[in-house]
């Protein structure tokens, strides 16, 4: 995992799609990534701020939302804490699931089936959601919500050919 330190300065890593190569089993997308502004810019002191950015490759206008330093750090810490909590919950749910799964259940005992189903869902959440939260916490930098600004000034929800890195 790549750990991104969240500092009082931000850099927008804007990628513009250069080409797409289709193979028999793989599709490769080549990106031209630009880091804007060079050297970084100070984060907003209060509230989120929308920053206007122009792609240097295709000259399209975009807006990006930048979070405050404290909000970005709190989001990163909460995601990391929840991720570790779910991963560590596997230490309890998997042994209980193995123990209850090996028991013989009386016919008509719905409680035992409900317990195994609940433990199975908790274990699945720990296996899938826990590492996903840890990964997203390590990639969170407080810069997001890339929107294309149209000629009439409205912002689009879907941005084709561009993304934040």
């Amino acid at each position: 995992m790549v750990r991104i330190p969240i500092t009082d300065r931000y850099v927008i890593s804007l990628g513009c799609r250069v080409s797409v190569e289709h193979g028999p089993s793989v599709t490769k997308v080549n990106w031209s990534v630009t880091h804007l502004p060079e050297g970084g810019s100070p984060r907003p002191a209060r509230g989120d701020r929308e920053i206007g950015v122009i792609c240097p490759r295709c000259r399209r206008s975009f807006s990006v939302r930048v979070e405050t330093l404290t909000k970005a750090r709190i989001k990163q810490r909460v995601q990391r804490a929840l991720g570790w909590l779910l991963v560590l919950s596997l230490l309890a749910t998997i042994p209980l699931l193995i123990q209850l799964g090996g028991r013989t259940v009386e016919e008509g005992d719905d409680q035992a089936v409900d317990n195994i189903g609940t433990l199975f869902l908790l274990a699945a959440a720990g296996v899938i959601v826990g590492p996903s939260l840890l990964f997203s916490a390590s990639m969170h930098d407080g810069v997001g919500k890339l929107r294309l600004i149209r000629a009439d000034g409205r912002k689009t929800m879907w941005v084709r050919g561009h993304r934040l890195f």
Side-chain angles (χ1 to χ4, degrees):
M1 281 190 267
V2 177
R3 298 228 185 254
I4 298 173
I6 298 177
T7 62
D8 60 341
R9 302 185 73 75
Y10 69 91
V11 175
I12 299 169
S13 299
L14 180 66
C16 184
R17 185 174 57 209
V18 176
S19 64
V20 179
E21 300 169 9
H22 298 284
S25 63
V26 176
T27 300
K28 182 179 178 185
V29 180
N30 295 318
W31 296 93
S32 171
V33 180
T34 307
H35 302 288
L36 303 169
E38 290 187 29
S41 186
R43 287 185 182 272
R46 291 189 194 139
D48 297 345
R49 187 170 56 187
E50 296 245 347
I51 307 295
V53 176
I54 296 175
C55 178
R57 186 171 176 276
C58 66
R59 298 287 179 215
R60 289 188 182 159
S61 297
F62 296 95
S63 74
V64 178
R65 179 161 298 181
V66 179
E67 298 173 347
T68 62
L69 178 64
T70 54
K71 184 176 180 179
R73 285 184 177 167
I74 287 171
K75 276 186 175 180
Q76 187 182 50
R77 288 178 183 153
V78 166
Q79 286 179 349
R80 190 171 288 138
L82 287 175
W84 278 115
L85 185 66
L86 284 170
V87 168
L88 292 175
S89 72
L90 293 173
L91 295 173
T93 55
I94 289 180
L96 280 172
L97 188 61
I98 291 171
Q99 180 185 9
L100 290 177
R103 288 186 180 170
T104 303
V105 179
E106 295 292 327
E107 194 170 323
D109 186 10
D110 293 333
Q111 183 66 31
V113 175
D114 291 343
N115 289 342
I116 291 176
T118 303
L119 284 173
F120 183 76
L121 287 175
L122 288 173
V127 168
I128 297 168
V129 179
S132 298
L133 280 172
L134 288 174
F135 180 73
S136 66
S138 68
M139 297 303 292
H140 182 74
D141 62 352
V143 177
K145 290 194 180 180
L146 178 68
R147 303 284 187 252
L148 174 68
I149 301 174
R150 294 183 185 171
D152 60 358
R154 293 186 312 165
K155 297 175 186 167
T156 63
M157 294 294 291
W158 302 102
V159 179
R160 293 176 47 174
H162 290 82
R163 65 176 271 199
L164 293 173
F165 282 90

